Amino acid sequence: MAAIAGVSVSTASKVLRGGGKASDATRERILDAAARLDYEPNALGQFLAQGRSATIGVLTLNAPGAFTMPVLTGATTTLGARDLSVLVSDSRLDRSLITATVRKFRARKVDGLLVVGDGSGTAMRSVTAGFTVPVVYAYGVSDDPDDVSFLHNGELAGELAGRHLLSLGRRRIAHISASLDDHSARERAAGLAAALAEAGVELVGGTGLHGDWSRSWGRRAAEDLLASGLEFDAVFCGNDTIATAASEVFRQAGLRIPEDVAIVGFDNLAGLMDQHDRTLTTIDPLLSTVGARAAEYLADAIEGGEFVPGLHRVDGVLIEGESTAVTR
């Protein structure tokens, strides 16, 4: 290509990288020759010339997890679009493996590290001190406030659910979720409480029913709610599994959904499984976006972009389904 343009290899290389001091005419000849030859610059060669490996280490705490996978997919897709290769290593929730993986990534001289947790309640021990390159955390929060962490917005999820139910005219709203010792459950409950307080509405029973994230708990809590004699016309469930189980109990008791009881869940499980099922109204935490934003931030930081410590939230969206959409 340099020969066709009538310039040296060095001059052609500098122009194609966006630099050099070539004249406009020379630059035009080089670009024209590149276009005619369908020339693609060697991205790896350019990175190596800059003293970089063009590789990002990705340390996952639980890669097979149903909710980790969309985060990982969003991150790796984004890094690939930035011409960055990815090395993924999973610790399988074993802290001893994390230490070994950190050493491996340092030896490979990665340009940056992305640590992917296992949810908002994940205890993520900071590994940043072991690197001289940028480190970003996703789907969990580092225990070092000087680190950068990306997480879905749990409180907003609760607010979205509450506001949606209120907008439907529901005023006797109950809540079924996991124990408030769980960070995720606590955030969603706080968001719901804020939305109800803003409207001057009290949560049915004063507090929610709190157990775990399982289907069996969803059924038992729904049965307890029915047995309590409390009047309710809507329920925000901490996840879709609980919401589905509770819906079954309510229907078996003769209640119509959504006419008698409107139900909102969280997770968008149908979307995660690529199903076009709008049976359940749910909050989608946009986990793929969490991974993509974290990866984009890391790639920018490697190139000298702004690095702001602390927690960066990604807002989810409400997806309306049949469980709240009353047809008249």
Side-chain angles (χ1 to χ4, degrees):
M1 183 201 64
I4 294 175
V7 298
S8 68
V9 172
S10 174
T11 298
S13 177
K14 290 177 181 177
V15 168
L16 291 172
R17 290 201 305 267
K21 298 181 180 180
S23 66
D24 291 343
T26 299
R27 189 177 302 277
E28 186 175 345
R29 288 203 314 275
I30 293 171
L31 296 177
D32 180 65
R36 281 191 284 140
L37 294 173
D38 197 22
Y39 173 78
E40 287 287 342
N42 186 317
L44 179 58
Q46 292 181 0
F47 280 122
L48 292 175
Q50 299 167 16
R52 292 168 53 187
S53 66
T55 302
I56 301 297
V58 178
L59 170 59
T60 60
L61 302 192
N62 183 26
F67 302 112
T68 303
M69 192 54 64
V71 179
L72 186 57
T73 300
T76 54
T77 299
T78 299
L79 293 171
R82 297 285 291 263
D83 288 328
L84 294 168
S85 299
V86 177
L87 282 177
V88 180
S89 183
D90 183 46
S91 72
R92 300 189 293 278
L93 299 176
D94 185 336
R95 291 191 180 278
S96 64
L97 289 179
I98 293 176
T99 302
T101 300
V102 165
R103 286 199 299 267
K104 180 182 74 174
F105 283 143
R106 281 204 304 263
R108 292 295 295 265
K109 298 189 182 302
V110 296
D111 289 336
L113 177 69
L114 179 65
V115 184
V116 180
D118 193 35
S120 57
T122 306
M124 299 179 75
R125 183 175 298 173
S126 177
V127 297
T128 304
F131 291 87
T132 58
V133 296
V135 179
V136 171
Y137 300 77
Y139 198 42
V141 181
S142 167
D143 61 7
D144 186 341
D146 289 332
D147 286 336
V148 172
S149 302
F150 280 79
L151 188 64
H152 57 278
N153 194 334
E155 286 197 21
L156 178 65
E159 291 179 21
L160 289 173
R163 290 171 186 163
H164 177 64
L165 293 171
L166 289 166
S167 74
L168 300 175
R170 309 300 169 120
R171 291 296 182 271
R172 299 187 298 276
I173 301 171
H175 184 42
I176 301 175
S177 191
S179 167
L180 292 178
D181 290 335
D182 186 292
H183 182 78
S184 298
R186 192 163 60 248
E187 282 196 333
R188 292 165 207 177
L192 175 64
L196 298 187
E198 185 180 17
V201 173
E202 292 187 6
L203 188 69
V204 168
T207 59
L209 291 84
H210 299 282
D212 56 39
W213 297 113
S214 70
R215 174 183 176 81
S216 60
W217 164 245
R219 288 192 60 86
R220 181 153 57 91
E223 291 168 351
D224 289 346
L225 184 58
L226 288 170
S228 71
L230 294 170
E231 293 186 358
F232 61 96
D233 58 12
V235 183
F236 170 44
C237 298
N239 68 6
D240 287 356
T241 300
I242 292 174
T244 300
S247 297
E248 292 175 357
V249 170
F250 295 146
R251 286 194 178 98
Q252 290 166 3
L255 296 177
R256 299 169 301 163
I257 298 172
E259 291 84 357
D260 299 322
V261 183
I263 296 179
V264 177
F266 178 96
D267 283 332
N268 189 24
L269 282 178
L272 283 178
M273 295 183 287
D274 200 25
Q275 297 176 351
H276 302 289
D277 179 1
R278 290 296 180 89
T279 301
L280 179 66
T281 295
T282 185
I283 308 296
D284 187 339
L286 300 181
L287 297 181
S288 179
T289 302
V290 171
R293 294 261 183 92
E296 195 74 38
Y297 194 94
L298 177 60
D300 287 343
I302 291 169
E303 295 178 359
E306 188 177 22
F307 198 83
V308 182
L311 178 58
H312 299 249
R313 294 282 192 179
V314 175
D315 294 346
V317 296
L318 183 138
I319 299 176
E320 189 170 359
E322 297 170 8
S323 65
T324 63
V326 179
T327 56
R328 301 187 187 280

Coordinates of all heavy atoms in Angstrom, one line a residue, residues 162-218:
G162 N -44.0 0.5 42.9 CA -45.0 1.2 43.7 C -45.8 2.2 42.9 O -47.0 2.3 42.9
R163 N -45.1 3.0 42.1 CA -45.7 4.0 41.3 C -46.7 3.5 40.2 O -47.7 4.0 39.9 CB -44.7 4.9 40.6 CG -44.0 5.8 41.6 CD -42.8 6.5 41.0 NE -42.0 7.3 41.9 CZ -40.8 7.7 41.7 NH1 -40.2 7.5 40.5 NH2 -40.1 8.4 42.6
H164 N -46.3 2.3 39.7 CA -47.1 1.7 38.6 C -48.4 1.2 39.3 O -49.5 1.5 38.7 CB -46.3 0.5 38.0 CG -47.2 -0.2 37.0 ND1 -47.6 0.3 35.8 CD2 -47.6 -1.5 37.0 CE1 -48.3 -0.6 35.2 NE2 -48.3 -1.7 35.9
L165 N -48.3 0.6 40.4 CA -49.5 0.1 41.1 C -50.4 1.2 41.5 O -51.6 1.1 41.4 CB -49.1 -0.8 42.3 CG -48.4 -2.1 41.9 CD1 -47.9 -2.9 43.1 CD2 -49.4 -3.1 41.1
L166 N -49.8 2.3 42.0 CA -50.6 3.4 42.4 C -51.3 4.1 41.2 O -52.4 4.5 41.3 CB -49.7 4.5 43.1 CG -49.1 4.1 44.5 CD1 -48.0 5.0 44.9 CD2 -50.3 4.1 45.6
S167 N -50.6 4.1 40.1 CA -51.2 4.7 38.9 C -52.4 3.9 38.4 O -53.3 4.5 37.7 CB -50.2 4.8 37.8 OG -49.9 3.5 37.2
L168 N -52.5 2.7 38.9 CA -53.7 1.8 38.5 C -54.8 2.0 39.5 O -55.9 1.3 39.3 CB -53.3 0.4 38.4 CG -52.2 0.0 37.4 CD1 -51.8 -1.4 37.6 CD2 -52.6 0.3 36.0
G169 N -54.6 2.9 40.5 CA -55.6 3.1 41.5 C -55.6 2.1 42.6 O -56.5 2.1 43.5
R170 N -54.5 1.3 42.7 CA -54.4 0.4 43.8 C -53.9 1.1 45.1 O -52.9 1.9 45.0 CB -53.4 -0.8 43.5 CG -53.8 -1.5 42.1 CD -55.2 -2.1 42.2 NE -55.6 -2.5 40.9 CZ -55.9 -3.8 40.5 NH1 -55.8 -4.7 41.5 NH2 -56.3 -4.1 39.3
R171 N -54.5 0.9 46.2 CA -54.1 1.6 47.4 C -53.9 0.6 48.6 O -53.4 1.0 49.6 CB -55.2 2.6 47.8 CG -55.4 3.8 46.9 CD -54.1 4.6 46.9 NE -54.2 5.8 46.1 CZ -53.9 5.8 44.8 NH1 -53.4 4.7 44.2 NH2 -54.0 6.9 44.1
R172 N -54.2 -0.6 48.4 CA -53.9 -1.7 49.4 C -52.8 -2.6 48.9 O -53.1 -3.7 48.4 CB -55.2 -2.4 49.8 CG -56.3 -1.5 50.3 CD -57.5 -2.2 50.8 NE -58.2 -3.0 49.8 CZ -59.1 -2.5 48.9 NH1 -59.4 -1.2 49.0 NH2 -59.6 -3.3 48.0
I173 N -51.6 -2.1 49.0 CA -50.5 -2.8 48.4 C -49.6 -3.6 49.4 O -49.2 -3.0 50.5 CB -49.6 -1.8 47.7 CG1 -50.4 -1.0 46.6 CG2 -48.3 -2.5 47.0 CD1 -49.7 0.1 45.9
A174 N -49.4 -4.8 49.2 CA -48.6 -5.7 50.0 C -47.2 -6.0 49.4 O -47.0 -5.7 48.2 CB -49.3 -7.0 50.3
H175 N -46.3 -6.5 50.2 CA -45.0 -6.8 49.6 C -44.5 -8.1 50.1 O -44.6 -8.4 51.3 CB -44.0 -5.7 50.1 CG -42.6 -5.8 49.6 ND1 -42.3 -6.1 48.3 CD2 -41.4 -5.7 50.2 CE1 -41.0 -6.2 48.1 NE2 -40.4 -5.9 49.3
I176 N -44.1 -9.0 49.2 CA -43.5 -10.3 49.5 C -42.1 -10.4 49.0 O -41.9 -10.2 47.8 CB -44.3 -11.5 49.0 CG1 -45.8 -11.4 49.5 CG2 -43.7 -12.8 49.3 CD1 -46.7 -12.5 48.8
S177 N -41.1 -10.6 49.8 CA -39.7 -10.6 49.3 C -38.8 -11.5 50.3 O -39.3 -12.2 51.2 CB -39.2 -9.2 49.2 OG -38.0 -9.2 48.6
A178 N -37.5 -11.4 50.1 CA -36.6 -12.1 50.9 C -36.3 -11.3 52.2 O -36.9 -10.2 52.4 CB -35.3 -12.3 50.2
S179 N -35.5 -11.9 53.1 CA -35.2 -11.2 54.4 C -34.6 -9.8 54.1 O -33.8 -9.7 53.2 CB -34.3 -12.1 55.2 OG -33.7 -11.4 56.3
L180 N -34.9 -8.9 55.0 CA -34.3 -7.6 54.9 C -32.8 -7.6 55.3 O -32.1 -6.6 55.1 CB -35.0 -6.6 55.8 CG -36.5 -6.3 55.3 CD1 -37.1 -5.3 56.3 CD2 -36.5 -5.7 53.9
D181 N -32.3 -8.7 55.7 CA -30.8 -8.9 55.9 C -30.1 -8.9 54.5 O -28.9 -8.7 54.4 CB -30.5 -10.1 56.7 CG -30.9 -10.0 58.1 OD1 -31.0 -8.9 58.6 OD2 -31.2 -11.1 58.7
D182 N -30.9 -9.3 53.5 CA -30.4 -9.3 52.1 C -30.4 -7.9 51.5 O -31.4 -7.2 51.5 CB -31.3 -10.3 51.3 CG -30.7 -10.5 49.9 OD1 -30.7 -9.5 49.1 OD2 -30.3 -11.6 49.6
H183 N -29.2 -7.5 51.0 CA -29.1 -6.1 50.5 C -30.1 -5.8 49.4 O -30.7 -4.8 49.3 CB -27.7 -5.9 50.0 CG -27.4 -4.5 49.5 ND1 -27.2 -3.4 50.3 CD2 -27.3 -4.0 48.2 CE1 -27.0 -2.3 49.6 NE2 -27.1 -2.7 48.3
S184 N -30.3 -6.8 48.5 CA -31.2 -6.6 47.3 C -32.6 -6.4 47.8 O -33.3 -5.5 47.3 CB -31.1 -7.8 46.4 OG -29.8 -7.9 45.8
A185 N -33.0 -7.3 48.7 CA -34.4 -7.2 49.3 C -34.6 -5.9 50.0 O -35.7 -5.2 49.9 CB -34.7 -8.4 50.2
R186 N -33.6 -5.4 50.7 CA -33.7 -4.2 51.5 C -33.9 -3.0 50.6 O -34.7 -2.1 50.8 CB -32.5 -4.1 52.4 CG -32.6 -3.0 53.4 CD -31.5 -3.1 54.5 NE -30.2 -3.1 54.0 CZ -29.4 -4.2 54.0 NH1 -29.8 -5.3 54.4 NH2 -28.1 -4.0 53.5
E187 N -33.1 -3.0 49.5 CA -33.2 -1.9 48.5 C -34.6 -1.8 47.9 O -35.2 -0.7 47.7 CB -32.1 -2.0 47.4 CG -30.7 -1.6 47.9 CD -29.8 -1.3 46.7 OE1 -30.0 -2.0 45.7 OE2 -28.9 -0.5 46.9
R188 N -35.1 -2.9 47.4 CA -36.4 -2.9 46.7 C -37.5 -2.5 47.7 O -38.4 -1.8 47.3 CB -36.6 -4.3 46.1 CG -35.7 -4.6 45.0 CD -35.6 -6.1 44.6 NE -34.3 -6.4 44.0 CZ -33.9 -7.6 43.6 NH1 -34.7 -8.6 43.8 NH2 -32.7 -7.8 43.1
A189 N -37.4 -3.0 48.9 CA -38.4 -2.6 49.9 C -38.4 -1.1 50.2 O -39.4 -0.5 50.4 CB -38.2 -3.4 51.2
A190 N -37.2 -0.6 50.3 CA -37.0 0.9 50.5 C -37.6 1.7 49.4 O -38.2 2.7 49.7 CB -35.5 1.2 50.8
G191 N -37.4 1.3 48.2 CA -37.9 2.0 47.1 C -39.4 2.0 47.0 O -40.1 3.0 46.8
L192 N -40.0 0.8 47.3 CA -41.5 0.7 47.4 C -42.0 1.6 48.5 O -43.0 2.3 48.3 CB -41.9 -0.8 47.7 CG -43.4 -1.0 47.9 CD1 -44.2 -0.7 46.7 CD2 -43.6 -2.5 48.3
A193 N -41.4 1.6 49.7 CA -41.8 2.4 50.8 C -41.8 3.9 50.5 O -42.7 4.6 50.8 CB -41.0 2.1 52.0
A194 N -40.8 4.3 49.7 CA -40.7 5.7 49.4 C -41.8 6.1 48.4 O -42.4 7.2 48.6 CB -39.3 5.9 48.7
A195 N -42.1 5.2 47.5 CA -43.2 5.5 46.5 C -44.5 5.6 47.2 O -45.4 6.5 47.0 CB -43.2 4.5 45.4
L196 N -44.8 4.7 48.2 CA -46.1 4.7 48.9 C -46.2 5.9 49.8 O -47.2 6.6 49.9 CB -46.2 3.4 49.7 CG -46.3 2.1 48.9 CD1 -46.6 1.0 49.8 CD2 -47.3 2.2 47.8
A197 N -45.0 6.3 50.5 CA -45.0 7.4 51.4 C -45.3 8.7 50.6 O -46.0 9.6 51.1 CB -43.7 7.5 52.1
E198 N -44.8 8.8 49.4 CA -45.0 10.0 48.6 C -46.5 10.2 48.3 O -47.0 11.3 48.2 CB -44.2 9.9 47.3 CG -44.2 11.1 46.4 CD -43.4 10.9 45.2 OE1 -43.1 9.7 44.8 OE2 -43.1 11.9 44.5
A199 N -47.2 9.0 48.2 CA -48.6 9.1 47.8 C -49.5 9.1 49.1 O -50.7 9.1 49.0 CB -49.0 7.9 46.9
G200 N -48.9 9.0 50.3 CA -49.6 9.0 51.5 C -50.3 7.6 51.7 O -51.4 7.6 52.4
V201 N -49.8 6.6 51.2 CA -50.4 5.2 51.3 C -49.5 4.4 52.2 O -48.3 4.4 52.1 CB -50.5 4.6 49.9 CG1 -50.9 3.1 50.0 CG2 -51.4 5.4 49.0
E202 N -50.1 3.6 53.1 CA -49.4 2.7 54.0 C -49.3 1.3 53.4 O -50.3 0.8 52.8 CB -50.0 2.6 55.4 CG -49.9 3.9 56.1 CD -50.4 3.8 57.6 OE1 -50.7 2.6 58.0 OE2 -50.5 4.8 58.3
L203 N -48.2 0.6 53.6 CA -48.0 -0.7 53.1 C -49.0 -1.6 54.0 O -49.1 -1.5 55.2 CB -46.6 -1.2 53.3 CG -46.2 -2.6 52.7 CD1 -46.2 -2.5 51.2 CD2 -44.8 -3.0 53.3
V204 N -49.6 -2.6 53.3 CA -50.5 -3.5 54.0 C -49.8 -4.2 55.1 O -48.7 -4.8 54.9 CB -51.2 -4.5 53.0 CG1 -51.9 -5.6 53.7 CG2 -52.1 -3.8 52.0
G205 N -50.3 -4.2 56.3 CA -49.7 -4.9 57.4 C -48.6 -4.1 58.1 O -48.0 -4.5 59.1
G206 N -48.3 -2.9 57.5 CA -47.2 -2.1 58.0 C -45.8 -2.5 57.6 O -44.9 -1.7 57.4
T207 N -45.6 -3.8 57.4 CA -44.3 -4.3 56.9 C -44.6 -5.4 55.9 O -45.7 -6.0 55.8 CB -43.5 -5.0 58.1 OG1 -44.2 -6.0 58.7 CG2 -43.1 -3.9 59.1
G208 N -43.6 -5.7 55.1 CA -43.8 -6.8 54.1 C -43.6 -8.2 54.7 O -43.3 -8.3 55.9
L209 N -43.9 -9.2 53.9 CA -43.6 -10.6 54.4 C -42.2 -11.0 53.8 O -42.0 -10.9 52.6 CB -44.7 -11.5 53.8 CG -46.1 -11.4 54.4 CD1 -46.8 -10.3 53.7 CD2 -46.8 -12.7 54.3
H210 N -41.3 -11.3 54.7 CA -39.9 -11.5 54.3 C -39.4 -12.9 54.7 O -39.5 -13.3 55.8 CB -39.0 -10.4 54.9 CG -39.4 -9.0 54.5 ND1 -39.0 -8.5 53.3 CD2 -40.1 -8.1 55.1 CE1 -39.5 -7.3 53.2 NE2 -40.2 -7.0 54.3
G211 N -38.9 -13.6 53.7 CA -38.4 -15.0 53.9 C -37.1 -15.2 53.1 O -36.0 -14.8 53.5
D212 N -37.3 -15.8 51.9 CA -36.1 -16.0 51.0 C -36.6 -15.7 49.5 O -37.7 -15.2 49.3 CB -35.5 -17.3 51.1 CG -36.5 -18.5 51.0 OD1 -37.4 -18.4 50.1 OD2 -36.4 -19.5 51.7
W213 N -35.8 -16.1 48.5 CA -36.1 -15.8 47.1 C -36.8 -17.0 46.5 O -37.0 -17.0 45.3 CB -34.8 -15.5 46.4 CG -34.1 -14.3 46.8 CD1 -32.9 -14.2 47.4 CD2 -34.5 -12.9 46.7 NE1 -32.5 -13.0 47.7 CE2 -33.5 -12.1 47.3 CE3 -35.7 -12.3 46.2 CZ2 -33.6 -10.7 47.3 CZ3 -35.8 -11.0 46.3 CH2 -34.8 -10.2 46.8
S214 N -37.2 -18.0 47.2 CA -37.7 -19.3 46.6 C -39.1 -19.3 46.2 O -39.9 -18.5 46.8 CB -37.4 -20.5 47.6 OG -38.2 -20.4 48.7
R215 N -39.5 -20.2 45.4 CA -40.9 -20.5 45.0 C -41.7 -20.9 46.2 O -42.8 -20.5 46.4 CB -40.9 -21.5 43.9 CG -42.3 -22.0 43.5 CD -42.2 -23.1 42.4 NE -43.5 -23.6 42.1 CZ -44.4 -22.9 41.3 NH1 -44.0 -21.8 40.7 NH2 -45.6 -23.4 41.0
S216 N -41.1 -21.8 47.0 CA -41.8 -22.3 48.2 C -42.2 -21.2 49.1 O -43.3 -21.1 49.7 CB -41.0 -23.4 48.9 OG -39.8 -22.9 49.3
W217 N -41.3 -20.2 49.3 CA -41.6 -19.1 50.2 C -42.7 -18.2 49.5 O -43.5 -17.7 50.2 CB -40.3 -18.3 50.4 CG -40.7 -16.9 51.0 CD1 -40.4 -15.7 50.4 CD2 -41.3 -16.6 52.2 NE1 -40.9 -14.6 51.1 CE2 -41.5 -15.2 52.3 CE3 -41.8 -17.4 53.3 CZ2 -42.1 -14.5 53.4 CZ3 -42.4 -16.7 54.3 CH2 -42.5 -15.3 54.4
G218 N -42.6 -18.1 48.3 CA -43.7 -17.3 47.6 C -45.0 -17.8 47.8 O -46.0 -17.1 48.1

